[in-house]
């Protein structure tokens, strides 16, 4: 268990280098983008390379972060109704890039790129992955892309109803954590056999981490509902207090029982760092929203702070998902511990 979380988190430069190494060579025999041969024509060595699959999964999750930022820019700049038609924009592939059209069109372009990456990743996993759960997770990510595109079309064709906008934002978060899970399971840490840790204390670490993730996810839904005008800010504030309780509780349990386990320790540090940043950004974003009410156009501080608040919120969820996956990967369920102990006692007698 000495493998660190660096297999899950790469900076932008490393992700770019990984992407170039992950993509197959584009030549006359193995071309996926040149229009010759099959859509995903690669050698068996390339298909079965787990490192390449993992790097491509990281690339896809990184591109999803850009997609979340593009979507947040659309909302913060009041550009959701800038383009009245879909899938074209003013009847063109590339519309006049003026005003709010720039943000809406950029969002569509990034979404299309993420959809292509997800399609490639799903097919790659279907051909290279021998774990059925991971293959299904890849197809689930692709299905979420399709659902998200349809929700985006509904927003365009039926105006900007708060409920559809909130659902659209929620599915975006679900898709993001799905790509995070794919990057996790395709990593060397997610593949190799690891001796399990026992956790017989209460509350068990595995369900506690899961409940923390669910609380953060609900909080993001409440934030999206407030941001899109579905309801007021009070539910979001109450949700923040609940998340603070769960994050603190989970951190204390993790430190007391598994503080010396590198993977759990680093995931917990990441969760605390992103959540602390999110609290500060939430206060700043609320101030920016209060100030922006008096303005005719969205101000620069309002756009920057609200977009940052959305992005870091997604990173908080991703951090909690990684912690949860790490706990499920490393820690033996309490029921399994009891069964094993009972079996050992029977053998001794």
């Amino acid at each position: 268990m000495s493998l660190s979380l660096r297999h899950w988190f790469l900076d932008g430069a490393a992700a770019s280098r990984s992407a170039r190494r992950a993509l197959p060579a584009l030549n006359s025999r193995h071309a996926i983008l040149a229009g010759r041969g099959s859509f995903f024509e690669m050698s068996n060595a390339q298909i079965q390379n787990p490192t390449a699959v993992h790097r491509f999964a990281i690339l896809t999750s990184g591109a999803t972060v850009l997609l979340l930022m593009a979507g947040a820019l659309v909302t913060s700049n009041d550009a959701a109704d800038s383009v009245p038609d879909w899938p074209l924009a003013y009847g063109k592939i590339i519309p006049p890039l003026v005003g709010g059209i720039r943000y809406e069109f950029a969002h569509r372009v990034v979404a299309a790129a993420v959809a292509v990456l997800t399609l490639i990743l799903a097919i790659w996993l279907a051909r290279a992955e021998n774990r059925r759960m991971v293959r299904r997770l890849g197809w689930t990510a692709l299905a979420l892309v399709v659902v998200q595109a349809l929700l985006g079309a509904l927003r365009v064709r039926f105006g900007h109803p708060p409920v559809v906008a909130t659902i659209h934002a929620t599915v975006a978060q679900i898709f993001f954590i799905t790509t995070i899970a794919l990057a996790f399971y395709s990593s060397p840490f997610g593949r190799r056999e690891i001796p399990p840790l026992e956790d017989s204390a209460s509350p068990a670490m595995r369900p506690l981490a899961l409940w923390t993730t669910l609380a953060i996810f609900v909080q993001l839904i409440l934030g999206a509902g407030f941001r899109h005008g579905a309801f007021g800010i009070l539910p979001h504030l109450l949700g923040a207090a609940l998340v603070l309780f769960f994050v603190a509780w989970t951190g204390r349990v993790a430190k007391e029982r598994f503080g010396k386990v590198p993977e759990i320790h680093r995931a917990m540090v990441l969760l605390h760092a992103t959540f602390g940043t999110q609290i500060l950004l939430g206060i700043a974003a609320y101030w920016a929203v209060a100030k922006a009410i008096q303005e005719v156009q969205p101000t620069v501080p309002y756009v920057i702070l609200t977009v940052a608040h959305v992005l870091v919120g997604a990173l908080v969820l991703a951090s909690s998902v990684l912690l949860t996956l790490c706990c499920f990967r490393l820690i033996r369920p309490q029921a399994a511990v009891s069964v094993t102990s009972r079996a050992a006692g029977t053998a001794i007698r």
Side-chain angles (χ1 to χ4, degrees):
M1 291 177 290
S2 61
L3 189 63
S4 69
L5 294 179
R6 67 178 180 273
H7 295 287
W8 308 340
F9 309 106
L10 295 177
D11 55 25
S16 298
R17 293 194 300 269
S18 300
R20 289 194 294 270
R21 290 194 295 266
L23 288 173
L26 297 182
N27 52 40
S28 59
R29 294 183 59 191
H30 306 105
I32 62 171
L33 298 178
R36 297 189 298 272
S38 65
F39 174 75
F40 206 75
E41 184 179 348
M42 295 189 294
S43 65
N44 290 332
Q46 288 171 319
I47 292 175
Q48 299 299 330
N49 186 353
T51 302
V53 178
H54 174 54
R55 289 167 176 167
F56 198 87
I58 291 176
L59 172 66
T60 305
S61 60
T64 306
V65 174
L66 296 178
L67 179 57
L68 292 173
M69 182 178 69
L73 282 170
V74 171
T75 303
S76 294
N77 285 281
D78 294 331
D81 299 322
S82 299
V83 180
D85 51 343
W86 186 92
L88 297 177
Y90 290 95
K92 301 178 181 180
I93 297 178
I94 302 179
L97 301 179
V98 295
I101 300 176
R102 296 171 297 174
Y103 301 105
E104 175 64 21
F105 182 70
H107 179 52
R108 294 188 183 188
V109 171
V110 178
V114 170
V116 172
L117 291 175
T118 307
L119 174 63
I120 295 174
L121 180 60
I123 296 176
W124 200 339
L125 290 171
R127 298 187 63 182
E129 183 58 61
N130 55 8
R131 292 170 294 178
R132 180 180 300 179
M133 182 270 293
V134 179
R135 295 197 303 268
R136 289 180 175 177
L137 197 62
W139 291 121
T140 299
L142 183 60
L144 288 171
V145 166
V146 175
V147 171
Q148 188 72 337
L150 295 176
L151 287 171
L154 287 175
R155 288 184 60 180
V156 172
R157 293 186 175 276
F158 298 97
H160 190 221
V163 174
V164 175
T166 303
I167 296 174
H168 186 68
T170 301
V171 175
Q173 298 291 344
I174 297 174
F175 172 73
F176 178 50
I177 61 177
T178 303
T179 63
I180 293 294
L182 286 172
F184 176 89
Y185 285 118
S186 62
S187 69
F189 176 78
R191 288 177 174 275
R192 67 180 182 138
E193 293 294 329
I194 299 175
L197 301 173
E198 294 187 0
D199 182 21
S200 57
S202 181
M205 184 65 200
R206 284 172 46 145
L208 182 58
L210 180 59
W211 278 108
T212 300
T213 298
L214 292 175
I216 295 171
F217 178 69
V218 171
Q219 168 67 351
L220 292 183
I221 296 176
L222 297 176
F226 167 68
R227 185 167 163 80
H228 294 289
F231 38 73
I233 195 174
L234 182 59
H236 188 51
L237 295 177
L238 295 176
L242 181 64
V243 171
L244 175 60
F245 169 76
F246 271 106
V247 170
W249 190 13
T250 304
R252 179 179 178 181
V253 172
K255 182 178 180 180
E256 290 178 351
R257 300 183 204 164
F258 306 103
K260 295 183 179 180
V261 180
E263 294 80 9
I264 295 179
H265 172 74
R266 292 171 184 171
M268 201 67 242
V269 168
L270 182 65
L271 176 58
H272 282 168
T274 53
F275 181 69
T277 304
Q278 181 69 344
I279 291 294
L280 296 177
L281 283 173
I283 297 172
Y286 183 76
W287 168 83
V289 170
K291 296 285 290 185
I293 294 177
Q294 307 171 5
E295 304 292 337
V296 178
Q297 297 291 335
T299 62
V300 173
Y302 167 79
V303 173
I304 293 176
L305 291 173
T306 52
V307 170
H309 190 53
V310 172
L311 282 181
V312 177
L315 295 179
V316 173
L317 179 62
S319 302
S320 186
V321 167
L322 284 174
L323 174 64
T324 303
L325 294 175
C326 188
C327 290
F328 274 76
R329 185 83 175 87
L330 290 171
I331 301 173
R332 184 184 307 179
Q334 187 171 352
V337 175
S338 301
V339 171
T340 303
S341 302
R342 190 181 305 114
T346 302
I348 293 175
R349 289 194 296 270

